[in-house]
Amino acid sequence: MKTLIRLSKLILPLFPVMLLAIIFGSAGYLCAIAIPAGGAAAITYSFPVKFLILIGIARGVLHYLEQYCNHYIAFSILARIRNIVFNKLRKLGPAKLDSKDKGSLISLLTSDVELLEVFYAHTVSPAAIALVVTVIMLVFFFHFHYLLAISAFVSYFVIGIFVPALVSKPAFKSASLFRKKFASINSILLDNLRGLEQSLLYSKGQDRLKEISDTSAELSQAKKSLAINEGINSAITGLLVTAASMAMLFTSLYLYKKNIISFNAVILCTTAQFSSFGPVLALAALGTSLSSTIASGKRVLSLLDEDAVAENISGMEETSFDGAEVKDLSFSYKKKGENILSDINMTFPKNKILGIKGKSGSGKSTLIKLLMRFWKNDQGKILISQKDINLINTKDLRDMESYVTQETVLFHDTIENNIRIAKLNATREEIIEACKKACIHDFIMELPQGYETMVSELGDNFSGGERQRLSLARAFLHDADFILLDEPSSNLDSYNEHMIMEAVKKEADGKTVIIVSHRDSTFEYADTIWNLTSGRQS
């Protein structure tokens, strides 16, 4: 219920459209009831048959208008939800997203959000329509006799509320399991596609195939359980509709024998009752169909409820770079866990190249991420331009820092656009100059389409060294005053490493450059080198 309430709040800006959907839907269902009831009235009360044609046309028009309003609401809200989710991911990243399963995130962003359409287009207004039509029909039956109204009320309550409530709990368990398995198989397929070469190389294809087959079987079983619940719900409601119609027939016949109502009223009331279950059946179907939507809604809302490790900051005094410093810095990724960094004190003045050396796992990359404020430091201070890093606008921080990571992420776009991400208004000449500094320009010009060459998914059509040089080109294009290079030459040969470090030396004029590496050759031009051993400075 909490999930439904939170999802319902998003409808408030579109409440007028929702009101129209309820009006059109209620009128449309009344027309649908009026067609068979009017046919009965035409036999018993000399009802004009030509009006049935007009009612049929009105039913079609009203149904279209209701569906148009509902889907306008649904797709408008889904667009809004996607914006909210993507904004949340930007706030959570990269710290919180590093530990999240990418396949599960893809499932959440696509199918889970898409399933919310069932709630907005086929739940809210149908529930209101069922209530409106039920009240009108109860008044109609009460006009003939209160026993008929009671009979109708019991049938509407049992079919529209009791049965959905009865089947919703097992249906929700099945739906939750299905969404979980669906996300799991997305992750497995994504991992296997990325690691296809390794699976073939080490003859693990059969093992990976078995993992996919087992997960598919579990997904199929969860789907089967969900379908069984839907089938049971449909069978029960169908049986109850027939039973309710018979109950109305026998109740009206009883009243006819008592000379309380006419035989014409028996036919009219029974026909009206039998044809009035449309809104209630739509509500009854939600007991199973809505369970998948609620499961998806809970997954989406759980993401939105997560707190960012480092919040975006704005509204502070504008800051430009004038050196950086860390004082008595300690940090662990888990509260009260073992420190990754302990009592670090370093100064990063302008116009200097500083090296941080250490083995893998010594905390080098963690220090860089703290300087980027991807994570918040536990103890000590990080100062930039003599200001606490937690008091600097995020925009200012991103403008003054260039960061080259160990793993280069390339997008499925042209080479030019992949580099331009570092400076969106950059000219082709600026991009070429950055690529020359990164020793990648000649390689690009040898490609058939040059800078217009498309990068494949994850940059698989480039080697590790080529991807790394493209990442360096981004950093040179960004032209920030504080350059953070995390293993910038790990995939480069000695010649390209020397050429790039020469370019870094030239770029360092008036700037601060931090180079993180475990290779001695990378620190050829470093003014100062610090060693990190198990998170401690030496």
Side-chain angles (χ1 to χ4, degrees):
M1 186 57 68
K2 290 180 180 179
T3 301
L4 294 178
I5 291 172
R6 290 184 63 184
L7 292 175
S8 299
K9 290 180 179 178
L10 296 174
I11 301 175
L12 293 178
L14 296 170
F15 180 75
V17 183
M18 178 61 69
L19 190 60
L20 284 176
I22 294 170
I23 293 171
F24 291 141
S26 300
Y29 270 115
L30 290 174
C31 288
I33 296 168
I35 293 172
I43 298 173
T44 57
Y45 290 105
S46 300
F47 184 80
V49 178
K50 60 182 180 180
F51 284 118
L52 297 180
I53 300 174
L54 296 176
I55 293 172
I57 295 172
R59 163 59 177 161
V61 172
L62 290 168
H63 182 67
Y64 172 82
L65 292 174
E66 177 212 346
Q67 291 298 306
Y68 181 87
C69 290
N70 281 333
H71 286 86
Y72 173 81
I73 292 169
F75 296 130
S76 297
I77 294 177
L78 290 187
R80 184 182 173 196
I81 289 174
R82 288 190 180 97
N83 283 332
I84 293 172
V85 170
F86 277 113
N87 285 331
K88 186 65 177 183
L89 289 175
R90 291 182 63 186
K91 292 179 181 179
L92 292 176
K96 277 289 186 74
L97 300 186
D98 281 346
S99 59
K100 287 192 176 295
D101 188 280
K102 301 303 183 288
S104 181
L105 277 178
I106 291 171
S107 176
L108 186 149
L109 291 169
T110 54
S111 60
D112 281 331
V113 171
E114 193 65 30
L115 267 175
L116 297 182
E117 184 263 346
V118 174
F119 175 72
Y120 293 111
H122 306 291
T123 302
V124 181
S125 69
I129 290 168
L131 178 62
V132 171
V133 173
T134 295
V135 171
I136 292 174
M137 293 307 299
L138 291 177
V139 172
F140 172 80
F141 291 124
F142 188 81
H143 172 74
F144 291 94
H145 197 271
Y146 72 90
L147 286 179
L148 300 177
I150 292 174
S151 175
F153 174 79
V154 171
S155 63
Y156 293 148
F157 177 82
V158 171
I159 295 172
I161 296 178
F162 180 75
V163 172
L166 192 66
V167 302
S168 62
K169 190 171 182 179
F172 178 71
K173 288 182 178 178
S174 299
S176 297
L177 179 61
F178 176 76
R179 299 312 309 166
K180 183 179 179 181
K181 293 299 180 183
F182 188 83
S184 177
I185 200 167
N186 274 352
S187 300
I188 292 172
L189 289 173
L190 192 61
D191 286 343
N192 279 294
L193 286 173
R194 288 177 173 174
L196 186 60
E197 291 183 2
Q198 286 72 24
S199 296
L200 294 173
L201 178 63
Y202 295 106
S203 301
K204 291 295 182 180
Q206 290 299 320
D207 294 338
R208 306 300 284 178
L209 183 61
K210 184 178 184 303
E211 182 183 19
I212 294 173
S213 298
D214 291 345
T215 307
S216 297
E218 292 173 359
L219 179 66
S220 178
Q221 185 60 40
K223 181 64 176 177
K224 181 180 179 181
S225 177
L226 195 58
I228 289 173
N229 284 324
E230 291 175 354
I232 292 173
N233 182 51
S234 179
I236 292 174
T237 52
L239 181 64
L240 289 174
V241 166
T242 302
S245 300
M246 296 303 295
M248 177 62 71
L249 173 62
F250 291 135
T251 303
S252 57
L253 284 174
Y254 170 77
L255 295 173
Y256 167 70
K257 288 184 177 181
K258 295 290 185 178
N259 293 321
I260 299 174
I261 62 173
S262 65
F263 186 73
N264 292 340
V266 173
I267 297 175
L268 181 59
C269 289
T270 303
T271 306
Q273 167 79 339
F274 188 79
S275 59
S276 66
F277 284 106
V280 178
L281 287 175
L283 195 62
L286 297 177
T288 51
S289 63
L290 190 58
S291 57
S292 295
T293 302
I294 295 174
S296 295
K298 288 175 74 74
R299 282 166 51 84
V300 172
L301 292 175
S302 66
L303 176 71
L304 298 181
D305 287 338
E306 287 197 40
D307 295 324
V309 173
E311 295 283 352
N312 287 335
I313 297 173
S314 60
M316 298 293 183
E317 182 182 357
E318 188 174 334
T319 305
S320 57
F321 184 75
D322 188 26
E325 184 179 5
V326 295
K327 292 183 177 181
D328 303 321
L329 178 66
S330 296
F331 176 78
S332 64
Y333 284 107
K334 295 181 180 179
K335 291 183 178 180
K336 298 181 180 180
E338 183 179 354
N339 279 351
I340 303 298
L341 296 170
S342 299
D343 301 320
I344 304 298
N345 289 277
M346 296 180 182
T347 302
F348 310 111
K350 294 195 70 173
N351 202 32
K352 294 289 184 179
I353 298 178
L354 299 313
I356 301 177
K357 182 181 177 182
K359 296 180 179 179
S360 296
S362 60
K364 306 185 304 296
S365 298
T366 297
L367 178 58
I368 297 297
K369 291 177 181 179
L370 290 171
L371 288 168
M372 290 290 296
R373 204 173 63 206
F374 289 168
W375 295 83
K376 291 185 70 174
N377 52 299
D378 297 334
Q379 299 175 15
K381 289 185 178 182
I382 300 175
L383 303 176
I384 294 181
S385 303
Q386 301 302 312
K387 290 184 180 179
D388 190 312
I389 194 173
N390 296 313
L391 300 177
I392 297 176
N393 294 323
T394 301
K395 182 182 182 302
D396 295 342
L397 200 61
R398 299 293 172 258
D399 287 342
M400 69 175 71
E401 294 179 331
S402 287
Y403 178 34
V404 175
T405 63
Q406 294 184 38
E407 296 182 4
T408 301
V409 176
L410 297 178
F411 301 96
H412 184 49
D413 204 337
T414 64
I415 291 177
E416 181 175 351
N417 287 338
N418 264 280
I419 298 171
R420 181 176 276 117
I421 193 174
K423 184 181 178 182
L424 297 180
N425 60 348
T427 63
R428 170 65 72 89
E429 289 71 25
E430 289 176 310
I431 293 173
I432 290 174
E433 182 62 28
C435 289
K436 287 180 178 179
K437 293 177 182 178
C439 302
I440 192 70
H441 172 71
D442 293 340
F443 166 77
I444 294 173
M445 294 308 295
E446 291 174 359
L447 298 173
Q449 294 176 291
Y451 282 86
E452 296 302 319
T453 301
M454 290 295 295
V455 178
S456 66
E457 186 178 4
L458 301 178
D460 287 341
N461 55 337
F462 294 101
S463 69
E466 290 158 359
R467 290 197 296 268
Q468 196 160 37
R469 281 180 282 165
L470 288 172
S471 180
L472 284 163
R474 286 173 175 169
F476 289 137
L477 180 63
H478 190 53
D479 196 28
D481 290 329
F482 193 20
I483 303 175
L484 310 171
L485 306 177
D486 191 358
E487 300 284 0
S489 59
S490 58
N491 292 313
L492 302 178
D493 55 38
S494 57
Y495 172 76
N496 278 309
E497 180 186 30
H498 176 75
M499 295 296 293
I500 285 174
M501 295 316 298
E502 282 277 358
V504 169
K505 175 68 175 177
K506 293 178 182 178
E507 282 291 301
D509 187 23
K511 300 178 180 181
T512 299
V513 180
I514 297 179
I515 302 173
V516 167
S517 183
H518 62 276
R519 293 166 61 171
D520 291 334
S521 58
T522 310
F523 301 114
E524 180 181 353
Y525 296 104
D527 297 300
T528 304
I529 300 174
W530 285 290
N531 284 286
L532 282 180
T533 304
S534 299
R536 293 188 177 275
Q537 183 178 348
S538 61

